[in-house]
Amino acid sequence: MINLDILNLSLSHRHCSDLRGLLTAVNCGNVKWGNTMQVASTVAKVLALIVIIIAGMVKLCQGYTTNFENSFEDSNLNAGDVALALYSALYSYSGWDTLNFVTEELKNPERNLPLSIAISIPLVTVIYVLTNVAYYTVLDLNTVLDSEAVAVTFADEILGYARWLIPISVAMSCYGGLNASLIAVSRLYFVGSREGHLPTVLCMIHVNTCTPIPALIFSGGMSLIYLVVEDVFQLINYFSFNYWLFIGLSIVSQIYLRFKFPDMPRPVKLSLFFPITFCLCTVFLVVVPLYSDTINTMVGIAIALSGVPAYYLCIYLPPDRQPKCLQKLLGFLTLNVQKLCLCCAVDSEDRKEM
């Protein structure tokens, strides 16, 4: 499940909301429907990128190298700007993390999870680099910056009558990226609720299809709220600060557990060099933007902290100390979601039996 967003397309808020609603309905209907859509969109994206790479390499072999002259002239090497640029770049590679959220649905995850990541990340990196080489072989820097969908502009310039294939692939790329995030985030809410970190209503599954319908609907609803932010790059900056902060904290906790409980069973083992290096990179991605983009970073912190009162009231406080109105609201939601979605709650013991 790799986030191949190098075919990025700028969609209107209305189209995004409609698309999100459609994908939520598909994933609520059946787990296999969502997985099939993900495979189909990934195949379409990869084939489109291969077409772009081949077309670009042909032009490069023909001597079209003008756009590579003085490529890095007047580059901005400010650490803060580099960190913010990495936010957008690393967002395109976020599939390595997305796969971790569906570990429980993998067959033989001890083998297949690290194997899939080890194969996919180098493969996607090579595809991305070659795709960008193809883009800059045909398009100059200003054209790339002004284009809303670089792949479509590239196709208009070079593919002739076959250019109509690329917009379709771009659209499928958008479907795949949204579908992957919907699958992953809904599982995050589901497991968090099952382990007691979120309200019980989110750990319910359909009695027949076993799809986490409440978590899927909640994930879709939250994404619609974020559409209030019109600038997608600003939204990425909000998201990425919190993303890398909590990813870094997660890796630090793994290092701590390695020393605190050295004999704990570990299905996947790595040298400490990798998590320590990763933590140092996350420190750069988190600390530097605090100085270079303070306002947006503070907004990201505020978004993260907004969950504290909700956690305190709904989870941390025992039921007898919660406000009566909140108890009634949670009970009302839980009961009616069960009836409306034909769902039942799942706990850790039930999951082990499944």
Side-chain angles (χ1 to χ4, degrees):
M1 190 181 297
I2 301 301
N3 195 12
L4 288 170
D5 287 334
I6 200 167
L7 290 175
N8 190 22
L9 177 67
S10 178
L11 294 175
S12 69
H13 281 34
R14 178 182 176 182
H15 291 157
C16 286
S17 60
D18 293 344
L19 180 57
R20 195 70 172 186
L22 173 62
L23 292 176
T24 300
V26 169
N27 281 278
C28 287
N30 195 298
V31 174
K32 291 184 178 180
W33 294 351
N35 292 341
T36 301
M37 179 176 290
Q38 190 62 40
V39 172
S41 64
T42 300
V43 171
K45 289 182 285 188
V46 172
L47 291 177
L49 290 173
I50 291 175
V51 170
I52 291 173
I53 291 170
I54 293 175
M57 293 303 105
V58 170
K59 284 292 185 180
L60 187 63
C61 292
Q62 292 175 351
Y64 287 79
T65 59
T66 306
N67 294 332
F68 293 101
E69 297 177 0
N70 302 319
S71 301
F72 297 97
E73 186 177 6
D74 299 325
S75 296
N76 185 354
L77 300 180
N78 179 273
D81 293 332
V82 170
L84 294 176
L86 284 172
Y87 278 172
S88 297
L90 292 171
Y91 179 76
S92 297
Y93 288 89
S94 60
W96 68 271
D97 183 46
T98 302
L99 187 62
N100 298 325
F101 294 140
V102 292
T103 302
E104 291 183 344
E105 299 175 36
L106 291 178
K107 295 180 179 179
N108 192 10
E110 292 85 359
R111 173 186 178 273
N112 292 333
L113 179 63
L115 183 63
S116 60
I117 293 176
I119 293 174
S120 60
I121 288 182
L123 180 62
V124 171
T125 302
V126 171
I127 292 175
Y128 276 19
V129 172
L130 293 179
T131 302
N132 278 289
V133 170
Y135 284 158
Y136 285 107
T137 299
V138 177
L139 307 174
D140 59 46
L141 178 60
N142 292 330
T143 303
V144 172
L145 292 176
D146 294 337
S147 175
E148 291 187 352
V150 181
V152 176
T153 305
F154 178 93
D156 291 338
E157 290 284 339
I158 197 173
L159 294 184
Y161 292 108
R163 64 181 181 271
W164 60 271
L165 292 171
I166 299 301
I168 295 176
S169 300
V170 169
M172 294 192 69
S173 174
C174 294
Y175 272 88
L178 282 173
N179 189 62
S181 65
L182 183 63
I183 292 174
V185 174
S186 64
R187 270 56 176 183
L188 179 64
Y189 292 144
F190 172 78
V191 174
S193 174
R194 192 186 67 196
E195 301 300 323
H197 304 303
L198 290 170
T200 306
V201 67
L202 295 177
C203 71
M204 296 183 181
I205 60 173
H206 192 274
V207 294
N208 296 322
T209 62
C210 294
T211 53
I213 294 179
L216 284 164
I217 295 175
F218 182 74
S219 176
M222 290 296 294
S223 65
L224 295 180
I225 294 175
Y226 287 122
L227 288 178
V228 174
V229 181
E230 296 184 358
D231 187 348
V232 65
F233 294 104
Q234 188 178 35
L235 187 59
I236 288 175
N237 289 345
Y238 294 159
F239 160 81
S240 295
F241 175 83
N242 290 316
Y243 175 82
W244 289 108
L245 173 62
F246 289 108
I247 287 291
L249 292 175
S250 299
I251 301 301
V252 169
S253 68
Q254 297 299 313
I255 297 174
Y256 170 78
L257 291 174
R258 177 72 70 89
F259 290 103
K260 184 68 174 180
F261 303 102
D263 298 326
M264 179 182 292
R266 291 178 171 86
V268 180
K269 296 182 180 180
L270 287 174
S271 168
L272 282 175
F273 169 80
F274 296 102
I276 291 174
T277 303
F278 191 95
C279 285
L280 293 176
C281 294
T282 58
V283 169
F284 172 77
L285 292 170
V286 170
V287 174
V288 173
L290 282 171
Y291 295 95
S292 62
D293 193 25
T294 305
I295 295 178
N296 287 332
T297 301
M298 295 306 294
V299 171
I301 294 174
I303 293 173
L305 293 178
S306 65
V308 174
Y311 177 83
Y312 178 79
L313 292 173
C314 299
I315 305 299
Y316 181 78
L317 287 179
D320 58 334
R321 295 183 57 189
Q322 292 177 345
K324 297 296 183 181
C325 59
L326 180 61
Q327 292 183 32
K328 292 181 179 179
L329 176 61
L330 292 176
F332 174 83
L333 286 175
T334 302
L335 178 62
N336 285 277
V337 166
Q338 284 182 304
K339 293 180 178 179
L340 182 63
C341 299
L342 197 60
C343 293
C344 62
V346 175
D347 57 26
S348 299
E349 295 300 323
D350 292 333
R351 178 64 194 178
K352 291 177 181 178
E353 294 176 0
M354 293 171 63

